[in-house]
């Protein structure tokens, strides 16, 4: 785990535009995923939806890998285990838990809660990597936790509480996935990492194949198309773009751009689904983002 404290190689000025474009693309696509999950979640259960999403992503990325000539690449045992670890944590478990959470809370609220992940990364680094706890990290943590508590206060029903807890668990899995992925990208390129990760995630979720087949038989066309969209764009394209940027810059700095995900998700949710978080959710979400921002100050 000490590899996490290493910084990425300095990027040339000509690379900054590509890094920014890749990170921006990932942010927009990931924000849209919250809306898509909320839209199709009524037709497909959490695990079958995750299976279909990752299977579509695996097929899409296989095409990319074949075109790039990466299908014959050989990985060390360590590299494969790292890929498998982040695939299980982020691509499989996180996706299933988020799908379940969005059955209970709106897309904007889910995005606000999941975006606590950068703060969790900072806390984990302070605890396990010897980076310590700065004053800004402590203050930011308290502010963010206050925001999460405010969002939970607005969850009046038991289902809403379940959604809040599930989204917080998704944030934990997200943070763990980022930390493991950063190490993984020192041993394998971004396309290969996300491609093999989607394959591993699909294999892990194969036990839900019978349920997926059963639900697809009665699912509306829009739900199926939405699931395919999740696999192609937020997963295959979005994670590839993120891996490209992550390999070329520091994880802590890059995760700051994800602050924009909840804002974009709330806007898309309002435009496409006519839903917005409650007043508690909006105010609590602002506090969560403020807390994350404070914690990242040097």
């Amino acid at each position: 785990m000490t590899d996490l404290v290493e910084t990425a190689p300095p990027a040339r000025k000509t690379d900054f535009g590509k890094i920014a474009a890749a990170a921006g693309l990932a942010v927009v696509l990931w924000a849209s995923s919250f809306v898509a999950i909320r839209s199709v979640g009524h037709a497909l259960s959490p695990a079958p939806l995750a299976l279909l999403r990752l299977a579509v992503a695996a097929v899409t990325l296989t095409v990319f890998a074949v075109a790039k000539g990466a299908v014959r690449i050989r990985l060390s045992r360590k590299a494969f285990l790292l890929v498998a670890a982040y695939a299980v944590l982020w691509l499989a478990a996180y996706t299933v838990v988020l799908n379940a959470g969005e059955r209970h809370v709106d897309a904007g609220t889910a995005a606000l809660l999941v975006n606590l992940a950068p703060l969790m990364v900072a806390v984990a680094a302070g605890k396990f990597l010897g980076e310590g706890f700065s004053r800004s990290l402590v203050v930011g943590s308290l502010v963010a936790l206050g925001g999460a508590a405010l969002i939970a206060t607005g969850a009046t029903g038991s289902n809403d509480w379940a959604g809040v807890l599930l989204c917080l668990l998704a944030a934990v899995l997200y943070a763990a996935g980022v930390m493991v992925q950063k190490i993984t990208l020192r041993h394998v390129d971004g396309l290969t990492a996300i491609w093999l990760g989607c394959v591993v995630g699909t294999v892990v979720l194969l036990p839900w194949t019978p349920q997926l087949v059963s639900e697809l038989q009665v699912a509306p066309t829009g739900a199926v198309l939405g699931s395919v969209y999740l696999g192609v764009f937020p997963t295959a394209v979005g994670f590839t773009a993120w891996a490209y940027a992550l390999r070329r810059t520091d994880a802590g700095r890059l995760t700051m751009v994800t602050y924009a995900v909840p804002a974009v998700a709330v806007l898309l949710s309002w435009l496409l689904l006519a839903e917005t978080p409650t007043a508690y959710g909006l105010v609590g979400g602002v506090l969560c983002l403020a807390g994350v921002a404070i914690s990242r100050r040097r």
Side-chain angles (χ1 to χ4, degrees):
M1 296 298 288
T2 54
D3 289 339
L4 280 172
V5 299
E6 297 178 7
T7 57
R12 300 188 303 270
K13 290 184 178 180
T14 54
D15 291 335
F16 291 153
K18 295 180 180 179
I19 294 172
L25 177 62
V27 164
V28 173
L29 291 178
W30 286 353
S32 72
S33 71
F34 288 96
V35 179
I37 291 170
R38 181 69 170 169
S39 177
V40 306
H42 64 283
L44 296 174
S45 300
L49 174 56
L51 171 59
L52 179 56
R53 174 179 179 175
L54 291 180
V56 170
V59 172
T60 303
L61 289 167
T62 298
V63 174
F64 290 169
V66 170
K68 197 175 180 181
V71 291
R72 295 182 180 179
I73 192 168
R74 292 186 178 183
L75 299 180
S76 65
R77 183 171 180 270
K78 178 180 179 180
F80 179 77
L81 290 176
L82 286 170
V83 169
Y86 104 81
V88 172
L89 287 170
W90 197 352
L91 299 177
Y94 163 80
T95 303
V96 172
V97 173
L98 178 60
N99 291 346
E102 287 206 55
R103 285 192 155 201
H104 306 298
V105 298
D106 59 83
T109 298
L112 290 165
L113 289 170
V114 169
N115 211 55
L116 285 170
L119 175 59
M120 296 178 182
V121 171
V123 172
K127 174 67 174 179
F128 300 109
L129 305 182
E131 296 183 6
F133 296 93
S134 64
R135 180 181 301 178
S136 60
L137 177 58
V138 173
V139 173
S141 299
L142 294 175
V143 172
L145 288 175
L150 192 58
I151 293 175
T153 300
T156 55
S158 59
N159 284 345
D160 292 335
W161 272 100
V164 169
L165 294 176
L166 285 167
C167 288
L168 289 175
L169 175 58
V172 173
L173 294 169
Y174 178 109
V178 168
M179 295 178 72
V180 175
Q181 188 192 40
K182 182 60 179 176
I183 302 175
T184 304
L185 292 175
R186 296 195 177 98
H187 301 275
V188 62
D189 67 276
L191 175 59
T192 302
I194 186 61
W195 167 46
L196 293 180
C198 285
V199 172
V200 172
T202 301
V203 172
V204 169
L205 294 173
L206 282 180
W208 282 272
T209 300
Q211 184 179 353
L212 173 61
V213 173
S214 176
E215 292 183 359
L216 284 176
Q217 292 175 349
V218 296
T221 303
V224 177
L225 293 178
S227 303
V228 172
Y229 169 84
L230 283 168
V232 174
F233 293 100
T235 308
V237 178
F239 275 88
T240 301
W242 175 262
Y244 173 89
L246 184 61
R247 197 178 189 188
R248 291 163 176 79
T249 189
D250 295 339
R253 294 178 181 178
L254 187 61
T255 52
M256 292 183 69
V257 305
T258 62
Y259 298 167
V261 170
V264 178
V266 169
L267 178 61
L268 292 176
S269 179
W270 174 60
L271 292 175
L272 300 177
L273 303 179
E275 66 178 20
T276 57
T278 64
Y280 282 106
L282 288 173
V283 176
V286 170
L287 287 176
C288 287
L289 296 181
V292 175
I294 292 172
S295 72
R296 299 306 306 172
R297 292 185 64 186
R298 300 293 183 183

